[in-house]
Amino acid sequence: MVEINDGHRRPETAVVAVNRIPELRSWRHDPVGATVTIGAGVTYSELMVDPLASLLPALAEASRTVGSPQIRNAGTLGGNLGTCSPAGDGLPVLAALEAVVEIAGPSGRRSLPVGEFMLGVKQNALTPGELIIAVTVPVVGGWQGYAKVGVRNAMVIAVASAALVLDQTRRTVRIALGSVGPTVLRCPDAEAQLAGGLDWASLSTSDAVVQRFGELVSEASSPITDHRSTADYRRHSVGVLARRLARRAEVGGAA
Ligand SMILES: Cc1cc2nc3c(=O)[nH]c(=O)nc-3n(C[C@H](O)[C@H](O)[C@H](O)COP(=O)(O)OP(=O)(O)OC[C@H]3O[C@@H](n4cnc5c(N)ncnc54)[C@H](O)[C@@H]3O)c2cc1C
């Protein structure tokens, strides 16, 4: 609707509202498979609160930062994936949790890891006629969080964002960055470095490890300068976000 209002897009025939399809509005938890499957029409307001917030805390945290109450009541995870903006707040969390997008179309159903679904700036892997029906998100034991920098505290599109997931069972670190590249970026070098430097029982680590983690995250970013920020500020701030998340994990892990 924003693109239509701005004259960037004209619907050729009709606009189809999918927000009253019950299958898209529901979600289910599979405790055996340790996943939550969230219908594409589930709103941020639903993701922000229990029981979903306890299962997927970083997604709840990201949802709380989206727009205003009106936007959170109307906006959905399916719409965030459909838009596929590198600034979409749900997307770094889905990437760090290695979620899978469930797609239905004229030739049947398919599933795609979110890292393969997001192709570039507002580009995704949907083909004509395909609909996102859900996203399946692993429930991870450990700490997870989301952080965002914008030009003000609320109602703001991210200048830089990051989601950190510490999987205490598998002893893996996953970090995904928003707004600092053409699409959401993972940082394999930073992930390996922090995983090697963490005390996995307490999730604590040294200042030197956290400092280096931030540097590696900044190096992995590929930002541009635009009307919201400079590339330099984005590169710097995403490293700061990564360091803060690592420190928050330590506090959260010990709690
Ligand atoms: C004032 C304002 C503030 C905003 N603030 C934020 C913010 O802080 N963070 C943020 O991330 N976003 C923000 N947004 C953008 C937007 O609200 C979100 O991206 C939201 O997730 C879009 O969801 P929706 O259901 O409204 O999708 P729509 O706007 O209805 O659709 C968005 C795109 O996705 C496609 N789409 C929707 N559902 C599906 C589906 N099931 N399958 C396939 N394609 C689909 C549509 O065709 C369209 O191209 C803001 C928007 C506004 C207007």
Side-chain angles (χ1 to χ4, degrees), residues 1-2 9 18 24 40-41 44 65-68 71 74-83 87-90 126 130-133 148 155-158:
M1 292 309 299
V2 173
R9 199 191 265 208
V18 296
L24 302 188
Y44 297 108
T65 77
V66 173
S68 59
I71 297 295
T76 65
L77 210 47
N80 219 208
L81 285 161
T83 308
D89 284 304
L126 287 181
E130 282 189 321
L131 187 72
I132 303 158
I133 50 172
K148 165 177 172 180
M155 191 73 194
V156 69
I157 300 293

Side-chain angles (χ1 to χ4, degrees), residues 58 92 96 143-147 162-166 173-176 194 213 242 244-247 249:
W143 188 88
Q144 55 185 263
Y146 177 75
L164 178 66
V165 173
L166 305 183
V173 171
R174 298 195 293 272
I175 184 159
L194 184 59
F213 178 59
R244 285 185 189 162
L245 284 166
R247 282 301 178 213

